[in-house]
Amino acid sequence: MHAFSGALEQSRVEPSSFTTAGSALCMTTMDPDRVARACINEYTRHPEFWPTTRSNGLAQFTVLAGIVLYDRLSDQIECVSLGTGSKCLPATKLPKSGEALHDSHAEVLARRAAVGWVYRQLQGGSEWVVDGKLREGVELWMYVSTLPCGDASTSALAINQPVEMAALKTVSPMPQPKKGTTARGRDNYNALGWLRTKPARADAPPTSSHSCSDKIALWSLVGFQGALLYQLVGPLFFSGLVIGDVLGQFSDADVEKIVGDCRRALVERLCPLPDGIQVPHELRILFTSIPFPHARSQIPESNAVSDPECTF
């Protein structure tokens, strides 16, 4: 699992075409492929973070997430953080002093690296941060090479499994979670909108880390900056999320269902909120067909294992 942002400040994709109307720029709609390319292109420059082939010849796959800045006025796009990984610490392995990272999923690592990037920009000399704020017209976008774990990927998991296994997991016994609690793992495919903890595998030790679907939804409500950075810059929201490994991997009907899952998991289940509370920013969800070279879908099924486990 890796997160890196220090060397990414020069990772840019050249502006795409736009038209002018009078003195105003009429920008084209954000192209999700540009967001994906900005992240994947930067990732390819860091082979030290690529998954390796095991001694038995099995290729390892991983998940990539990245965060880019997009300037609507200049059409400039720049990758500022990346993270790879798909593991988290079991609850029994959490240190009492809190010196270990609990959650090493790619989305969480990319978010942490982006927060670090913002802190460095506040020290001065940044073209993106002016007077303690992102300059006007700048948007933050997240890319993830596959569906976030949890509620957003429920249908995709069922579709990719044999019908008998999917049916078994759909009706597997799991009590309705009580208010203030969460469901564990990926079972009960028909239980939609639940908060879930990682990991999804039933045979893995339990953790106290919420799924990436839950965390991304939370970031749309309170921002991804954390309490300390909030005191300096206020809330930071993602304008949109670009997801890979869906287009071209599923039928049109299944894609439509998966899109609905993502809308429910990342946007719609935030509402209704208690009186007087509103979602400050609705996340735009887009999909890309740009392949991530180290995705599971790019490796033959019989020759793939996930990236290395954390060292406890």
Side-chain angles (χ1 to χ4, degrees):
M1 288 65 63
H2 306 281
F4 41 106
S5 64
L8 304 186
E9 296 176 24
Q10 301 303 317
S11 175
R12 299 179 180 175
V13 176
E14 291 303 314
S16 61
S17 61
F18 56 84
T19 59
T20 59
S23 59
L25 293 178
C26 299
M27 307 307 301
T28 57
T29 302
M30 168 59 79
D31 179 0
D33 291 352
R34 291 186 66 201
V35 176
R37 286 194 185 98
C39 295
I40 294 172
N41 287 348
E42 184 59 42
Y43 172 81
T44 61
R45 299 187 182 103
H46 295 274
E48 66 272 23
F49 298 122
W50 297 357
T52 59
T53 300
R54 290 188 173 181
S55 58
N56 59 4
L58 292 179
Q60 297 182 104
F61 61 86
T62 191
V63 176
L64 172 69
I67 295 173
V68 305
L69 300 176
Y70 173 63
D71 189 326
R72 296 192 305 271
L73 300 179
S74 67
D75 204 30
Q76 178 184 351
I77 189 169
E78 181 173 333
C79 177
V80 297
S81 75
L82 293 174
T84 63
S86 58
K87 302 295 187 290
C88 52
L89 282 177
T92 56
K93 297 291 185 178
L94 298 182
K96 294 181 179 180
S97 300
E99 67 271 22
L101 184 61
H102 297 187
D103 189 341
S104 293
H105 278 219
E107 298 94 319
V108 177
L109 295 178
R111 173 259 169 196
R112 290 177 65 90
V115 168
W117 179 87
V118 175
Y119 276 121
R120 290 193 294 276
Q121 305 314 298
L122 292 174
Q123 296 174 4
S126 172
E127 64 174 304
W128 291 99
V129 178
V130 179
D131 295 329
K133 302 288 183 182
L134 285 176
R135 72 172 187 246
E136 185 178 358
V138 172
E139 297 178 347
L140 288 151
W141 283 74
M142 172 176 270
Y143 161 78
V144 59
S145 60
T146 191
L147 288 161
C149 66
D151 199 45
S153 56
T154 302
S155 292
L157 288 169
I159 292 167
N160 278 331
Q161 287 186 328
V163 175
E164 297 80 7
M165 179 59 70
L168 179 64
K169 286 183 173 291
T170 295
V171 298
S172 57
M174 180 186 290
Q176 179 74 24
K178 297 180 181 179
K179 185 176 182 180
T181 64
T182 60
R184 180 169 181 261
R186 64 172 61 147
D187 284 356
N188 288 82
Y189 291 153
N190 59 341
L192 305 178
W194 286 12
L195 296 174
R196 295 177 181 267
T197 58
K198 301 166 181 170
R201 286 175 47 177
D203 61 345
T207 80
S208 57
S209 296
H210 273 284
S211 71
C212 288
S213 292
D214 298 342
K215 292 187 176 184
I216 294 171
L218 178 64
W219 297 337
S220 292
L221 186 61
V222 301
F224 71 84
Q225 71 292 322
L228 180 59
L229 188 56
Y230 178 87
Q231 304 300 318
L232 301 176
V233 301
L236 295 172
F237 297 103
F238 294 122
S239 293
L241 173 68
V242 174
I243 301 173
D245 233 16
V246 173
L247 302 180
Q249 301 295 324
F250 298 89
S251 68
D252 290 346
D254 287 340
V255 167
E256 184 175 353
K257 188 174 185 180
I258 291 169
V259 170
D261 277 354
C262 291
R263 284 284 306 170
R264 180 197 66 249
L266 305 177
V267 178
E268 294 171 356
R269 66 174 170 157
L270 294 176
C271 300
L273 292 170
D275 291 343
I277 301 178
Q278 295 181 335
V279 177
H281 181 82
E282 181 172 314
L283 187 72
R284 285 178 278 172
I285 304 172
L286 304 177
F287 296 83
T288 179
S289 59
I290 302 298
F292 170 53
H294 294 137
R296 184 171 190 169
S297 62
Q298 302 300 306
I299 302 174
E301 186 68 25
S302 61
N303 192 39
V305 291
S306 62
D307 54 357
E309 296 281 350
C310 289
T311 300
F312 301 135

